[in-house]
Every structure is written in C-alpha cells, then in structure tokens.
Amino acid sequence: MTRTRLTATERSEQLVGAAITAFAAGGYAGTTTDEIARLGQVSQPYVIRLFGTKQRLFIAGFEQAADRIEQAFREAEATDLQGLGAAYGELLEQRELLGMLLHGFAASFEEEIGKVVRARFGGIYTLIRALTGADEREATDFLATGILLTVLASIRVIGPDAVPAEPWMAGLANSLPENCG
C-alpha cells in the first residue's frame, strides 16, 4: 500500500485535527507534541517544524473550533437567536469541539492563548449580534446558555450519549430553553 504525499498545508490541517483530538482529551498542560505527532502519523520534530511550539498548535486548534462555530452560524442563515441556537445544537454532538472549547477557556491563563480566546469569543459575540440584531443582553444570555449547554453536553447530562438522569439533571434540563438538550 502506498501513502499519498500530503502538501504542507494538508499535513498542517491533519495535525490540527490530531491536536484537537489530543487537546480535547488531555487539555493543554496534559498533552504533549509527541502524542499529537503519533495521532497525526508524523514525527514530533515535524510537528515542531510546522507549528514551532505546542502553544501555537493549541491556538490553531482553538481557532479551528471557533471557525466551526462561526461557519455553522453563517450557514444557518438564521436571522434570530433560535435559528443560531439550532445550529449550535448540532455542534454539541461534536465531543472534540466541546473539549477544545472548554480547554481553550481553561488555558487562557497563558497570555498568548488568552488573547486568542478572548478575541475569538468576542468575534462570536459580535457575529451573533450582527446576524440576529440581538441587543447586548440578548446576545449575552444566548452565549451564557450556549456555555451551559457546552458544559452539560460535555458531562453527558444532555445529548445522544447522556447518562441516566439524576433528579438535579432533570430539573436543570427542564429549565433550559426549548430545543436545548
């Protein structure tokens, strides 16, 4: 069996995908470039040659996750928050996306990561307002609900792989806006 040679751009995209998988599972501090190299089926020095540092690779993974959210919102062609909520609901099934987002927020204590996370979060907020005409309070409530849904899906309270509900879970899930979870 022969392997198809990938361009540097294709290999970079492949490694960002491998990085998202690894970082979603192990977080920024708990993941090594060696693990990412194994997942991407390349050598660890090649990972460093392409990205320079683990931090840059982590940022590339977070950027891709944010890009996927923005793309889903744009493709929804929604003019209201309910339409954007439905688009985000589909993303909640992508476990690695959720993990990358949550680990991005957690790793924001690293200044370079924090700058990117804040900028991308602000960009999503701005996009929500531009697409829907939502005011500041409505956009803030939408984001707050989205983060809650991200956490609930990550801990498997909601979603296709939800664990059996405990009373507190049912109460929380029942208080969510319609079509959430």
Side-chain angles (χ1 to χ4, degrees):
M1 180 167 89
T2 59
R3 283 178 43 172
T4 304
R5 288 188 62 91
L6 300 177
T7 66
T9 300
E10 291 169 331
R11 183 67 74 189
S12 179
E13 290 172 11
Q14 177 187 5
L15 285 174
V16 171
I20 289 171
T21 299
F23 288 129
Y28 178 65
T31 301
T32 66
T33 54
D34 191 51
E35 291 171 80
I36 296 165
R38 277 195 303 274
L39 279 173
Q41 299 177 338
V42 298
S43 69
Q44 190 271 349
Y46 188 74
V47 172
I48 297 303
R49 188 173 336 131
L50 283 180
F51 291 93
T53 64
K54 178 173 89 167
Q55 185 178 74
R56 284 193 196 147
L57 185 52
F58 185 85
I59 288 169
F62 188 86
E63 294 264 23
Q64 187 176 100
D67 286 345
R68 284 165 52 189
I69 293 168
E70 289 180 1
Q71 179 182 2
F73 285 174
R74 284 188 180 96
E75 288 176 357
E77 297 181 9
T79 58
D80 61 11
L81 293 173
Q82 187 174 2
L84 293 188
Y88 192 71
E90 293 178 23
L91 294 176
L92 289 173
E93 295 181 18
Q94 298 178 25
R95 310 281 299 154
E96 292 174 350
L97 174 76
L98 303 181
M100 190 70 227
L101 287 174
L102 293 172
H103 285 297
F105 299 148
S108 288
F109 64 88
E110 295 273 344
E111 188 51 34
E112 290 305 308
I113 294 171
K115 282 187 219 178
V116 171
V117 171
R118 287 186 296 275
R120 294 309 302 260
F121 194 75
I124 290 169
Y125 170 81
T126 302
L127 179 63
I128 290 165
R129 293 198 63 202
L131 292 174
T132 65
D135 66 26
E136 291 175 349
R137 170 57 42 208
E138 292 167 328
T140 299
D141 288 347
F142 180 81
L143 279 173
T145 300
I147 290 174
L148 175 61
L149 291 171
T150 300
V151 169
L152 293 177
S154 295
I155 64 174
R156 297 174 48 207
V157 169
I158 61 171
D161 61 347
V163 297
E166 296 178 29
W168 71 267
M169 293 175 182
L172 186 57
N174 290 337
S175 70
L176 294 171
E178 275 187 50
N179 301 323
C180 295

